[in-house]
Amino acid sequence: MALIVQKYGGTSVGSPERIQHVAEKVMAARQRGDDVVVVVSAMSGETDRLVGLAHKLDPRPEPRELDVLLSTGEQVTIALLSIALQKLGCAARSYTGAQVRILTDNAFNKARIRDIDETAVRKDLGAGRVVVVAGFQGVDEDGNITTLGRGGSDTTAVALAAALKADECQIYTDVDGVYTTDPRVVPQARRLARITFEEMLEMASLGSKVLQIRSVEFAGKYNVPLRVLSSFQEGEGTLISFEESQMEQPVISGIAFNRDEAKITVVGVPDQPGVAYGILGPIANANIEVDMIVQNVAADATTDFTFTVHRRDYSQALDILRDVAIGMGARELSGDNKIVKISIVGVGMRSHAGIASKMFQTLSKEGINIRMISTSEIKVSVVVDEKYLELGVRALHDAFELERAPK
Ligand code: ADP
Ligand code: ASP
Ligand code: MG
C-alpha cells in the first residue's frame, strides 16, 4: 500500500462532469489499496475571472484582499470533489490551506510555504478517508489567508508529498507529460519519458509553465518522486528523475520560452564605478526582479546598460529610472516590451561544444535578430522580438531534432 498525492489542475476540474471523472480516478486508486491525498486547483478560468473582478474596482488591489478573493476558487473545487467522492461511497474530507495549516510567510500573492502540520491529514488517512486539499493557498502566522503565486497548486502538492513522505506526487494536467517544448506551439513536440530534476528546474524557471518552479525546487530539496500525467488518458507520463540515466543523453532535452519579458536600456551612461548599482539599486528597492543583465564594453567614456524584467513591471521600472537616468547624465532611456526569451536546455551541453553556435546559426537562417544572449552550464537563452517566437522555437526544435527519440 502506497501513499500518493495527486494534484488536478484547472482544466481537469473545469466542470461538474470533469470533477466526477476525477472522483472516479481517485476512487480507482483507493481500490488499488493506496492512501490518497488530492490537491485541486480552481476550476479553469476561475482565478483569472476573480483577478478581473478585483481589477474592475482597482487596477492595483491591496494584496491581502486579493488573496482572500483568489483563495475562494480552490475552496469551491475541494467541496465539489468531496461531494462527488462521497456520492461514490468513498469517504472524503475537504480542507482549505488554513485548515490543514499550510503555514506560509506573509508575502501576499507570492507566499512561500514554511511548514505543514500534517496531523489532521494523517488522522483522516488512518480512518480510511481521502483528504482533499485546496491548492495555491496557505495561512500566515497571524491567520491571514495567503496565496502561492500563479500555478501554486503544484507547489502545495509537492510540499504535502514532502511533509507526508509520500511514495509519489502525481501532477495530473491537460497534457500527458513534459514535452520537448510546449506542444501548443510545436505540434511535433515529443513527450519525455524522463527528465532530470536539474533540467526540469531550468525548463520551469525559463518559462515552461507545466510545473510551477517552486514545486520543482521543493521536489529537489526533499527528494519527492514527481510525475506529470494526463487526467484524460492513461499512460506513464513523465518522471522527474534524480539520477542521470546511464544511457546516452541527448545534447538538448527541451526548449523553453517566456512571453512575459520586457527590456530596458540606459543609453550612454558614464563608464565609472557605481553605475550598475545606481541603476539596479532603485529597481531592487521597488521589489522588481531583474533577469538578464548586459553592460557593453565602453567605446568612448560611456556605456549602455540593458536588463530585462517581467512585462508586468515594465512601466513601473521605466518610471523609476527616468529621474535616475537624468541624475547619472545618461543620454537616453529606452525600452521594449514586445520581446520574448527562448532557451535551449540540456545536461548534455556540458560535454558537447558548439551548441550555442548551432542555435545562433539556426536563428540567423530564419532571419531572426538576437537582441540579448545569456548562457549557463546547461542552457543558452536568447531574447528576440515577440513576433519571432513561434518561428524561432519551431526552427530550433527541428535543428536539434527533438521530435526524434534519442537512440
Ligand atoms: P494545470 O491547469 O493542469 O496546472 P497548466 O496550464 O498550468 O495546467 O500546465 C499545462 C500546460 O503547460 C500545457 O497545456 C502546455 O500547453 C503547457 N506547457 C508548456 N511547456 C510545456 C512542456 N514542455 N511540456 C508540456 N506542457 C507544456
Ligand atoms: N488557480 C491558481 C492559478 O490559476 C493556482 C493553480 O491553478 O495552480 O494560478
Ligand atoms: Mg499549472
Side-chain angles (χ1 to χ4, degrees):
M1 193 173 84
L3 169 55
I4 309 290
V5 175
Q6 299 188 333
K7 177 258 174 177
Y8 292 91
T11 316
S12 312
V13 294
S15 65
E17 293 72 25
R18 288 190 169 171
I19 291 175
Q20 177 69 29
H21 176 68
V22 168
E24 285 159 15
K25 283 180 74 80
V26 172
M27 183 77 174
R30 284 293 293 147
Q31 282 164 347
R32 283 193 296 270
D34 293 338
D35 280 339
V36 189
V37 174
V38 191
V39 173
V40 285
S41 289
M43 296 169 77
S44 57
E46 180 63 7
T47 309
D48 287 335
R49 187 184 76 87
L50 294 169
V51 171
L53 281 177
H55 284 175
K56 287 225 161 92
L57 298 167
D58 184 347
R60 292 178 74 179
E62 175 64 36
R64 180 189 184 279
E65 303 315 322
L66 191 61
D67 278 355
V68 173
L69 178 67
L70 296 191
S71 67
T72 62
E74 272 70 11
Q75 190 169 337
V76 169
T77 326
I78 54 170
L80 291 176
L81 179 58
S82 301
I83 290 168
L85 282 165
Q86 288 162 7
K87 178 75 181 163
L88 287 176
C90 177
R93 195 172 260 183
S94 67
Y95 290 92
T96 65
Q99 285 174 323
V100 174
R101 204 132 197 285
I102 296 181
L103 184 71
T104 72
D105 61 19
N106 63 359
F108 296 112
N109 309 167
K110 48 173 188 261
R112 281 181 181 268
I113 297 177
R114 281 193 179 152
D115 190 35
I116 294 183
D117 180 358
E118 79 279 9
T119 337
V121 177
R122 285 216 188 272
K123 214 169 141 196
D124 278 326
L125 291 175
R129 293 189 194 103
V130 169
V131 179
V132 183
V133 180
F136 175 59
Q137 55 179 264
V139 64
D140 74 4
E141 266 176 357
D142 301 320
N144 297 300
I145 294 173
T146 56
T147 67
L148 309 178
R150 299 305 302 266
S153 298
D154 299 332
T155 302
T156 305
V158 176
L160 268 166
L164 293 163
K165 300 188 178 58
D167 296 289
E168 190 163 280
C169 181
Q170 303 173 340
I171 307 287
Y172 287 93
T173 182
D174 55 6
V175 274
D176 63 343
V178 178
Y179 276 65
T180 47
T181 192
D182 190 339
R184 287 186 213 209
V185 170
V186 183
Q188 296 79 14
R190 181 173 50 84
R191 180 178 60 84
L192 300 163
R194 283 163 165 262
I195 183 168
T196 68
F197 160 75
E198 222 183 339
E199 288 169 325
M200 193 64 240
L201 196 59
E202 285 284 6
M203 291 282 281
S205 73
L206 295 167
S208 298
K209 289 179 184 139
V210 59
L211 287 175
Q212 196 196 34
I213 175 164
R214 281 186 193 166
S215 72
V216 187
E217 285 168 359
F218 239 104
K221 193 164 166 195
Y222 296 100
N223 237 301
V224 177
L226 186 60
R227 196 182 283 278
V228 177
L229 306 132
S230 164
S231 297
F232 306 108
Q233 71 196 73
E234 293 296 316
E236 294 292 296
T238 300
L239 179 71
I240 320 297
S241 73
F242 292 90
E243 311 109 61
E244 284 183 19
S245 103
Q246 300 305 310
M247 295 183 308
E248 183 68 16
Q249 280 283 345
V251 182
I252 299 300
S253 294
I255 303 175
F257 52 83
N258 191 347
R259 302 177 198 266
D260 303 323
E261 304 265 335
K263 76 180 172 68
I264 294 179
T265 304
V266 193
V267 185
V269 284
D271 183 30
Q272 64 192 35
V275 165
Y277 176 62
I279 293 170
L280 295 182
I283 297 292
N285 290 341
N287 248 323
I288 296 175
E289 245 175 78
V290 171
D291 178 18
M292 284 191 206
I293 304 172
V294 176
Q295 183 186 313
N296 290 345
V297 177
D300 38 39
T302 67
T303 182
D304 298 342
F305 191 95
T306 305
F307 62 95
T308 61
V309 293
H310 193 285
R311 241 179 239 192
R312 149 195 82 214
D313 299 324
Y314 175 66
S315 62
Q316 195 193 350
L318 271 182
D319 285 346
I320 291 170
L321 287 184
R322 254 181 272 277
D323 288 344
V324 173
I326 294 170
M328 280 186 168
R331 254 198 318 279
E332 197 189 319
L333 179 65
S334 69
D336 188 348
N337 63 354
K338 297 229 164 0
I339 54 152
V340 293
K341 182 167 72 178
I342 302 177
S343 310
I344 54 175
V345 174
V347 289
M349 251 185 242
R350 286 194 184 117
S351 47
H352 284 80
I355 303 308
S357 84
K358 182 168 175 176
M359 179 186 203
F360 306 151
Q361 181 192 28
T362 306
L363 295 173
S364 93
K365 268 196 213 148
E366 301 295 335
I368 300 174
N369 191 23
I370 300 171
R371 309 295 209 91
M372 291 171 90
I373 298 170
S374 114
T375 64
S376 74
E377 213 187 356
I378 65 162
K379 70 122 201 276
V380 183
S381 299
V382 295
V383 166
V384 301
D385 289 349
E386 184 178 75
K387 63 181 181 213
Y388 293 129
L389 176 82
E390 280 81 5
L391 178 63
V393 173
R394 284 177 197 148
L396 290 167
H397 200 271
D398 227 38
F400 286 101
E401 301 183 348
L402 293 183
E403 74 287 354
R404 279 206 252 154
K407 287 177 274 298

